[in-house]
Amino acid sequence: MSEELNSHMLKTAKGNKESFRFIANALGYKMHATAVKLLGSSHFDDADDVVQISLIKIWKSAPRWEKKGSVEGYVYKIVFSTCMDFLRRHKRFNEFKDNYSNLEIINKNNSNYELRKMLLNNIQKLPAYQKEAILLHYFCGYKQKEVSNILNKTDKATESLIIRARKKLKTILPKDLLEELLYV
């Protein structure tokens, strides 16, 4: 699938709308699922908007895409950044309800929004491959072997990326948050 996506992305970069449709159809469902996970289930409809904005960004940036990484990784980085933009615009707690409301840490004095914002802001600070590995594994639901294929890395290299990212996040984020959200 990766090679087929690469081929379609190269055609999309040249303005081929059919190839772009192929990419949108192949990854659209997972893009939406990722947006829902990042934004929270109460923003299911907003996830539709995030996907649409992400697709526009993919279309516009396709000529700048380089075949160094995977198309899927590239697409999920765009979805992630679009979600971050959405989160920045929707700061009020009452507007932003989290789908992790049953977590014990939520019942402490932090709002759901602040926890999600803290996690996502710190993931955004990770080096590119670590960020991609964490997003694909924890937010997109890919198994580690699938992440390896998407990133064109060995299984050991992918495992190392995830471990290093989690170690870095452990030094920054509260332990309870990591245990609940990233199963650390």
Side-chain angles (χ1 to χ4, degrees), residues 8-139:
H8 283 286
M9 186 59 132
L10 290 170
K11 292 175 187 173
T12 298
K14 295 177 182 173
N16 186 312
K17 292 178 185 175
E18 290 303 315
S19 287
F20 178 69
R21 267 191 210 98
F22 177 86
I23 293 169
N25 289 331
L27 301 177
Y29 176 77
K30 287 190 174 189
M31 290 170 67
H32 189 269
T34 301
V36 170
K37 286 178 185 176
L38 292 169
L39 299 176
S41 60
S42 63
H43 282 274
F44 191 84
D45 292 335
D46 294 320
D48 292 338
D49 294 339
V50 164
V51 170
Q52 290 301 314
I53 293 166
S54 297
L55 288 169
I56 292 167
K57 288 179 180 180
I58 292 164
W59 174 257
K60 287 181 177 180
S61 67
R64 294 187 304 275
W65 177 75
E66 297 177 16
K67 199 176 171 183
K68 293 178 183 173
S70 72
V71 172
E72 289 180 62
Y74 179 73
V75 166
Y76 291 122
K77 277 197 278 189
I78 290 175
V79 171
F80 178 80
S81 68
T82 306
C83 286
M84 293 301 294
D85 292 343
F86 177 87
L87 291 172
R88 282 187 205 101
R89 285 192 304 268
H90 294 84
K91 291 185 177 180
R92 286 188 11 208
F93 172 70
N94 290 335
E95 286 182 350
F96 195 80
K97 294 182 180 170
D98 197 312
N99 62 344
Y100 294 107
S101 59
N102 61 339
L103 299 178
E104 183 178 321
I105 190 169
I106 300 299
N107 295 328
K108 294 180 181 171
N109 53 15
N110 290 323
S111 73
N112 301 335
Y113 170 77
E114 290 301 321
L115 289 173
R116 182 176 298 282
K117 181 180 172 186
M118 183 189 327
L119 176 66
L120 296 178
N121 281 336
N122 283 292
I123 288 174
Q124 192 171 27
K125 294 175 186 174
L126 293 172
Y129 277 120
Q130 289 179 17
K131 177 172 46 175
E132 283 182 59
I134 287 285
L135 290 173
L136 290 168
H137 184 62
Y138 288 104
F139 291 94

